[in-house]
Amino acid sequence: MKLVVALLVLSLTVSVCEKNKISPRITGGYRAKAYTIIYLVGIVYAKSPLSSLKFGAGTIISNQWILTVKDVLVFKYIEAHFGSKRAFWGYDILRIYRENFYFHYDKDHIIALIKCPYQKFDRRVSRVRVPAYDSRFDRYVGNMTMVCGWGTEKRKVRLPTWMRCIEVEVMTNTECAKYYTPLKWYEMCTSGEGFKGVCEGDMGGAVVTMGPNPTFIGVIWLMPSNCSIAYPSVHIRVSDHIKWIKYVSGVGF
């Protein structure tokens, strides 16, 4: 997607696993319908006004809180694009500074929260629910999920002009470890079957269960170095962090 902003933050860290290089893709997906994925926030960041722009995402979990990963919060501030269906052209664009970034107390954890000015929910912007505390041990294996974003379909190409979505199944970590090892206990994987997955620009977005009560179960984290090779995508499991989310933001339980 093209962008129309002034500044924001750079430098994606590419993680390397023993078997494969992985780093954050929506590939093999379909165009999202307007006013359906209204919980997703586009995030733009750069080291300075003269630096190249980088792109990620976050997920609205309440009127004032966004859940994402710390890799998109590495500089002084971000620009958050609310209600953005086209590439980061949000109807409401906010600059949010570092003092509103909250990182997990364990530095090994990637998950992060952003506190933003109060957002009134309407047909363009709303939240998605986080898992209930009682379901914190649910691994959601076999659940079909929807994953949406503005990421590229291949590495190092232009962002698409409209949000895209895929429907993928949650797989076991044992099966996923055949591709990436070692996996951390709080990571979860979705299948790459059908050449579906996440790519550059999708990091920090949401993995949401499908059905009558959609639940935000994963934060998009890592992708194969080649976005189109049908390898699984790796995410941060939200239910494993529900106590921390509640402690910082008051959201949950």
Side-chain angles (χ1 to χ4, degrees), residues 160-192:
T161 56
W162 196 272
M163 182 189 296
R164 297 184 67 81
C165 298
I166 54 174
E167 296 172 11
V168 286
E169 186 176 355
V170 179
M171 60 194 299
T172 67
N173 279 23
T174 301
E175 182 66 24
C176 190
K178 295 177 182 178
Y179 300 87
Y180 311 119
T181 184
L183 287 170
K184 296 183 173 65
W185 61 270
Y186 56 79
E187 292 177 337
M188 58 170 272
C189 299
T190 50
S191 171

Side-chain angles (χ1 to χ4, degrees), residues 12 29 49 54 56 70 79 81 89 103 114 130 164 173 185 211:
L12 290 195
K54 296 294 177 181
K70 65 183 181 182
E79 282 188 356
H81 291 241
W89 291 1
F103 304 107
I114 304 167
V130 297
R164 297 184 67 81
N173 279 23
W185 61 270

Side-chain angles (χ1 to χ4, degrees), residues 24 40 43 56-59 67-69 72 202-206 216 219-221:
L40 213 56
I43 292 177
T59 305
L67 194 61
T68 186
V69 290
V72 302
D202 294 321
M203 180 188 284
F216 176 22
V219 184
I220 297 173
W221 167 223

Side-chain angles (χ1 to χ4, degrees), residues 99-119:
E99 55 264 32
N100 295 298
F101 302 165
Y102 294 80
F103 304 107
H104 197 277
Y105 57 85
D106 183 342
K107 293 183 179 179
D108 187 49
H109 288 236
I110 311 302
I111 204 163
L113 280 159
I114 304 167
K115 188 175 185 180
C116 64
Y118 185 90
Q119 299 296 301

Side-chain angles (χ1 to χ4, degrees), residues 40-44 56-58 78-84 88 150:
L40 213 56
V41 174
I43 292 177
V44 188
I78 61 166
E79 282 188 356
H81 291 241
F82 294 81
S84 180
F88 296 90
W150 303 273

Side-chain angles (χ1 to χ4, degrees), residues 19-246:
K19 293 183 181 177
N20 294 290
K21 243 188 209 176
I22 51 180
S23 120
R25 67 187 157 124
I26 293 291
T27 185
Y30 56 86
R31 178 175 162 138
K33 292 181 180 179
Y35 307 115
T36 55
I37 315 302
I38 57 177
Y39 50 79
L40 213 56
V41 174
I43 292 177
V44 188
Y45 57 107
K47 188 172 184 179
S48 75
L50 300 179
S51 301
S52 60
L53 296 171
K54 296 294 177 181
F55 307 93
T59 305
I60 300 169
I61 61 171
S62 80
N63 298 87
Q64 282 195 280
W65 290 94
I66 297 166
L67 194 61
T68 186
V69 290
K70 65 183 181 182
D71 290 59
V72 302
L73 304 177
V74 292
F75 297 117
K76 184 178 179 180
Y77 64 89
I78 61 166
E79 282 188 356
H81 291 241
F82 294 81
S84 180
K85 297 299 174 285
R86 294 186 180 275
F88 296 90
W89 291 1
Y91 88 94
D92 191 10
I93 303 172
L94 298 178
R95 182 176 292 185
I96 304 174
Y97 286 86
R98 174 168 285 278
E99 55 264 32
N100 295 298
F101 302 165
Y102 294 80
F103 304 107
H104 197 277
Y105 57 85
D106 183 342
K107 293 183 179 179
D108 187 49
H109 288 236
I110 311 302
I111 204 163
L113 280 159
I114 304 167
K115 188 175 185 180
C116 64
Y118 185 90
Q119 299 296 301
K120 183 179 179 180
F121 293 156
D122 56 27
R123 70 189 186 107
R124 295 169 296 189
V125 175
S126 191
R127 70 174 182 92
V128 64
R129 70 173 190 170
V130 297
Y133 184 70
D134 290 345
S135 65
R136 65 193 181 281
F137 299 119
D138 193 337
R139 306 293 87 179
Y140 296 96
V141 172
N143 276 244
M144 288 301 297
T145 65
M146 179 172 289
V147 183
C148 301
W150 303 273
T152 58
E153 293 197 36
K154 295 181 180 179
R155 300 292 298 273
K156 301 187 183 301
V157 298
R158 252 177 141 175
L159 294 175
T161 56
W162 196 272
M163 182 189 296
R164 297 184 67 81
C165 298
I166 54 174
E167 296 172 11
V168 286
E169 186 176 355
V170 179
M171 60 194 299
T172 67
N173 279 23
T174 301
E175 182 66 24
C176 190
K178 295 177 182 178
Y179 300 87
Y180 311 119
T181 184
L183 287 170
K184 296 183 173 65
W185 61 270
Y186 56 79
E187 292 177 337
M188 58 170 272
C189 299
T190 50
S191 171
E193 186 178 351
F195 300 94
K196 297 176 182 178
V198 299
C199 205
E200 288 178 319
D202 294 321
M203 180 188 284
V207 180
V208 177
T209 59
M210 300 179 68
N213 296 302
T215 303
F216 176 22
I217 64 170
V219 184
I220 297 173
W221 167 223
L222 298 171
M223 64 181 179
S225 54
N226 181 335
C227 301
S228 304
I229 57 175
Y231 279 15
S233 301
V234 183
H235 317 288
I236 306 302
R237 190 180 287 106
V238 176
S239 58
D240 287 336
H241 296 86
I242 200 65
K243 288 182 72 173
W244 176 78
I245 293 168
K246 171 70 174 179

